[in-house]
Amino acid sequence: MVTLSQILPFAAIALGLVLTPGPNMIYLISRSLCQGRKAGYISLTGVALGFMFYMVCAALGITALIMAVPLAYDALRIAGAAYLLYMAWQAVFGGKSPFQVRDLPPDSSRKLFTMGLLTNLLNPKTAVIYLTLLPQFIRPEQGHVLAQSLTLGITQIVTSMLVNGLIIFAAGTIANFLAQRPTWQKIQRWLMGMVLTGLALRMVMDGRK
């Protein structure tokens, strides 16, 4: 079974990543501002399906890998820490604000769902979350590696859906707030960079215990 010592740190990382601007956030905010909240939430259901696809594939693959190659656990842990450091750098120095909206034409519900799904499936951040971050929170000695993987995956999906749902709901308000306060955007980027760096260092240090 998964313990709180596994779930809470993983949920913190999942929260940090979903708050870091990426393809999913940019698409959902742009869609919400151009076509309304309903369009944003329809798109979000496609994003959710993409997460589920990655979760199932990763859970099955991770289970086989950890059982067959014990050293793979450390390799994935180090890769996960490196990715967090990369995300910290990107949060501070890279990318444009997701609130710089792209002009998106109105689309049907089917296309909104499909675009949300494809945006997530083609998002490298999503793949790395499941292939490098999730495995280092699994404890093979506790048994039921597949169940642990699915539980952690569901934790990430729920966290992402809740945060993105709130972002869609408040997209217009947030966009106006940040547009008038560029200094706040810089503060947010530095805070997120510090959080992600701290999580990466903790990941490395925990692995040495």
Side-chain angles (χ1 to χ4, degrees), residues 129-143:
I129 287 174
Y130 283 98
L131 296 178
T132 66
L133 299 183
L134 187 149
Q136 65 92 23
F137 288 94
I138 295 173
R139 304 290 182 265
E141 67 275 8
Q142 294 176 194

Side-chain angles (χ1 to χ4, degrees), residues 45-170:
T45 59
V47 172
L49 182 60
F51 278 129
M52 292 178 187
F53 173 81
Y54 272 113
M55 177 185 70
V56 173
C57 291
L60 295 175
I62 289 167
T63 300
L65 183 62
I66 289 179
M67 292 301 184
V69 187
L71 290 179
Y73 178 85
D74 284 336
L76 290 173
R77 175 179 56 79
I78 294 172
Y83 180 70
L84 284 180
L85 291 174
Y86 168 76
M87 291 300 300
W89 175 268
Q90 287 292 103
V92 176
F93 300 108
K96 297 180 179 180
S97 169
F99 298 98
Q100 295 177 355
V101 184
R102 294 179 295 167
D103 185 17
L104 299 177
D107 285 320
S108 65
S109 295
R110 181 176 181 179
K111 187 171 183 179
L112 290 171
F113 176 86
T114 302
M115 288 303 298
L117 172 62
L118 292 177
T119 298
N120 202 16
L121 289 178
L122 298 176
N123 182 3
K125 184 165 72 173
T126 303
V128 174
I129 287 174
Y130 283 98
L131 296 178
T132 66
L133 299 183
L134 187 149
Q136 65 92 23
F137 288 94
I138 295 173
R139 304 290 182 265
E141 67 275 8
Q142 294 176 194
H144 305 289
V145 172
L146 178 59
Q148 292 183 58
S149 299
L150 293 175
T151 300
L152 292 170
I154 291 172
T155 299
Q156 186 275 328
I157 292 174
V158 171
T159 300
S160 180
M161 293 303 100
L162 289 175
V163 173
N164 280 316
L166 291 174
I167 289 175
I168 290 171
F169 181 80

Side-chain angles (χ1 to χ4, degrees), residues 36-47:
R37 292 173 181 165
K38 181 179 178 180
Y41 287 121
I42 293 174
S43 300
L44 184 58
T45 59
V47 172

Side-chain angles (χ1 to χ4, degrees), residues 15-23 25-26 29 84-101 125 174 177-179 181-198:
L15 178 62
L17 291 177
V18 74
L19 289 174
T20 303
M25 182 185 290
I26 293 172
I29 291 175
L84 284 180
L85 291 174
Y86 168 76
M87 291 300 300
W89 175 268
Q90 287 292 103
V92 176
F93 300 108
K96 297 180 179 180
S97 169
F99 298 98
Q100 295 177 355
V101 184
K125 184 165 72 173
I174 295 173
F177 176 87
L178 292 180
R181 298 170 176 82
T183 301
W184 176 250
Q185 295 185 49
K186 294 180 181 179
I187 294 174
Q188 183 268 341
R189 286 179 175 274
W190 277 98
L191 287 175
M192 187 57 59
M194 292 172 62
V195 170
L196 293 174
T197 300

